[in-house]
Amino acid sequence: MARTVLDLLRLLADRVDRVDPVGGRADGAGRDGRAGELEHAATELAGSEPEAGALVLRIRSAMEAGRRRETELAALVETARELTSQSDTGGVLDAIVRRARALLGTDLAYLTLFDADRGDTYMRATAGSVSPRFQALRLPLGAGLGGLVAATRNPHWTGNYGEDERYRHTEEIDAAVGEEGLVAICGVPLLVDAEFVGVLFAANRSARPFAPEEVALLGSLAALAAVSLVQTRQLADTAAALEALRTAHAAIAEAAAAHDRFAGVVLEGGAVAYLAEALARLLGTWVVVLDAEGAPAARFGEPPDAGCWGEAVRAADGAPSRLARAGRVWAAAVVAAGQRLGTLLLGGVPELGAGQVRTVERAAMVTALVLLFGQREAEADRRERAEVLAELLAVADRPRPAVVTRLEERGVAARRPHVLLVCRCPPARRRAVLRDAAAAGGR
């Protein structure tokens, strides 16, 4: 017995001496040879020394388990490398199910993701699936094996799902599982801290119990996959946010440049017609500016018939702070100091980008300021003319020289015969009548 134990210790010492100092593993031929030596020793001892033989078999089993764990660890490391190389969520999910199927040697592997809005999980990636119905399956929480994993956040597995009464069977789930031909199923949750991401499955089309070691391996892969998936989502969200910021910055820069151009037109004394031309050239559109009564105050390009404008004007009335659209005509309300001064219309392009929308809104704002200043200037001129006219009519003899001078400054020759017209109109039409009278009388 002592000699046998000594030989056994020598075998174990020899194995330790041959362990690879870098990778922690001996070469495959050496491991297989020592396993054969141990099995041979166990066979020789089985008759004379049963206890020693059992000990040898236990050692051999431990060595096999160690080799299996080494293989699994190497596979997980390789899986981690593959997952980190994926830059999109779809690539990560496909890599996960491929690895799960290969590691466990199953007929099928698939993954469902949690839908927080609907409160269930839905099929997202499969490897080895042949059933379209199965690939479109949704699993309510608590229903079927996958629904139970999602509800409890714990692994569940069965060697024969169809006959296992532990799970709440539904017609939809059973039909999809039957069409895929699945029998043995194992599912583990994908968790990151307290966040539930989904469920990873491995399944076979024949009855086969899953060993605890296989469930643990699938769980390790699920943990690795969950972290990779969340990180990939975060990277995608960050990239999308950066792209949105870049787009918004470009739109703001475009609108600011347009604003500077509009401001330059105003500072150079340009009227509304010059603003309409500047906007039309910037966007490659036709532009029409309507006054408060809906009459064209300026236009550039070739707009469609005025009958197409009404709906756009009404749309702008319903959205005074933003650009509205009716058919192929865009409209922006021209508002200043809480007063509606008109409408800016444009069209001739299929779509407007974010920067172009901002440009139109800036144009409407500058147009409102120009119209407001023009309106106030005209009102001041009308008040001045009314005061001079009232003073002229109040005197019975010759008007004072100052009154004559003020009239002449406004193009009125006081010494020539004139006709005085008095018009009465509703208040809503007063501004239009003043405009028409000024046009007919040369201001």
Side-chain angles (χ1 to χ4, degrees):
M1 176 66 181
R3 179 63 181 173
T4 300
V5 173
L6 180 60
D7 291 340
L8 178 60
L9 291 176
R10 284 175 178 169
L11 286 171
L12 295 177
D14 180 65
R15 178 182 185 278
V16 173
D17 289 340
R18 290 191 178 185
V19 170
D20 181 3
V22 177
R25 293 174 293 174
D27 60 276
R31 291 184 305 186
D32 294 340
R34 287 190 299 280
E37 292 177 18
L38 286 172
E39 188 172 0
H40 180 68
T43 302
E44 290 183 346
L45 292 171
S48 58
E49 298 289 346
E51 184 177 351
L55 177 61
V56 173
L57 291 177
R58 286 176 57 191
I59 293 173
R60 181 182 183 277
S61 177
M63 291 174 62
E64 292 290 342
R67 285 204 306 273
R68 185 171 59 252
R69 284 193 294 271
E70 289 175 357
T71 302
E72 294 171 354
L73 179 59
L76 290 174
V77 171
E78 184 62 28
T79 300
R81 290 196 185 101
E82 183 178 1
L83 293 180
T84 54
S85 68
Q86 301 294 333
S87 59
D88 64 288
T89 302
V92 169
L93 297 177
D94 290 338
I96 290 170
V97 294
R98 284 199 313 268
R99 287 287 180 172
R101 185 186 183 197
L103 281 176
L104 274 73
T106 55
D107 297 325
L108 181 69
Y110 53 101
L111 186 146
T112 60
L113 292 181
F114 179 57
D115 186 341
D117 295 332
R118 296 184 56 169
D120 63 1
T121 61
Y122 62 95
M123 197 70 67
R124 182 58 179 80
T126 63
S129 173
V130 296
S131 167
R133 182 173 187 174
F134 182 79
Q135 294 165 13
L137 184 63
R138 300 189 75 99
L139 300 174
L141 296 186
L145 185 146
L148 187 59
V149 173
T152 63
R153 309 305 199 251
N154 291 318
H156 285 274
W157 62 96
T158 177
N160 193 329
Y161 173 77
E163 298 179 1
D164 200 326
E165 299 298 330
R166 293 177 298 168
Y167 306 109
R168 179 161 64 88
H169 292 263
T170 68
E171 182 178 350
E172 182 179 1
I173 296 175
D174 287 354
V177 170
E179 186 174 291
E180 190 65 63
L182 299 185
V183 179
I185 304 175
C186 177
V188 294
L190 275 69
L191 300 170
V192 178
D193 296 329
E195 181 183 0
F196 172 65
V197 179
V199 181
L200 178 62
F201 299 86
N204 280 297
R205 295 187 175 91
S206 59
R208 169 201 154 179
F210 285 92
E213 294 82 2
E214 293 177 306
V215 178
L217 176 59
L218 190 62
S220 299
L221 180 60
L224 182 62
V227 173
S228 300
L229 183 59
V230 170
Q231 290 178 342
T232 304
R233 284 176 171 175
Q234 291 173 345
L235 288 174
D237 291 343
T238 301
L242 289 175
E243 182 60 29
L245 286 175
R246 282 193 291 267
T247 302
H249 182 269
I252 292 172
E254 181 181 351
H259 181 81
D260 292 342
R261 182 169 178 178
F262 298 146
V265 171
V266 174
L267 293 175
E268 292 172 2
V272 175
Y274 294 99
L275 290 174
E277 179 181 355
L279 178 61
R281 292 190 182 280
L282 276 174
L283 303 183
T285 64
W286 57 261
V287 174
V288 173
V289 179
L290 304 180
D291 62 16
E293 284 74 37
R299 68 173 65 195
F300 189 87
E302 299 181 2
D305 184 75
C308 303
W309 302 350
E311 187 177 353
V313 172
R314 289 190 292 273
D317 289 339
S321 61
R322 60 184 178 85
L323 185 64
R325 182 177 183 179
R328 290 190 289 181
V329 178
W330 281 267
V334 177
V335 180
Q339 181 182 358
R340 175 68 179 271
L341 302 176
T343 307
L344 179 63
L345 303 175
L346 69 151
V349 292
E351 292 295 336
L352 293 177
Q356 293 174 319
V357 169
R358 288 178 179 271
T359 296
V360 175
E361 292 172 348
R362 295 286 182 93
M365 180 179 65
V366 176
T367 301
L369 293 176
V370 172
L371 288 178
L372 180 63
F373 293 153
Q375 183 186 92
R376 290 181 175 177
E377 182 181 357
E379 289 175 352
D381 182 67
R382 282 195 296 270
R383 283 196 301 270
E384 180 72 13
R385 291 167 64 87
E387 291 173 2
V388 174
L389 181 62
E391 187 173 349
L392 178 64
L393 295 177
V395 297
D397 300 323
R398 296 173 63 86
R400 294 184 297 110
V403 174
V404 174
T405 300
R406 292 170 65 185
L407 287 172
E408 290 177 348
E409 290 175 351
R410 286 158 180 78
V412 179
R415 294 180 175 84
R416 289 168 49 190
H418 286 76
V419 176
L420 177 65
L421 300 178
V422 179
C423 177
R424 178 175 305 191
C425 66
R429 289 284 300 158
R430 186 170 298 165
R431 188 180 303 277
V433 170
L434 286 173
R435 183 190 65 238
D436 294 340
R443 300 181 65 230

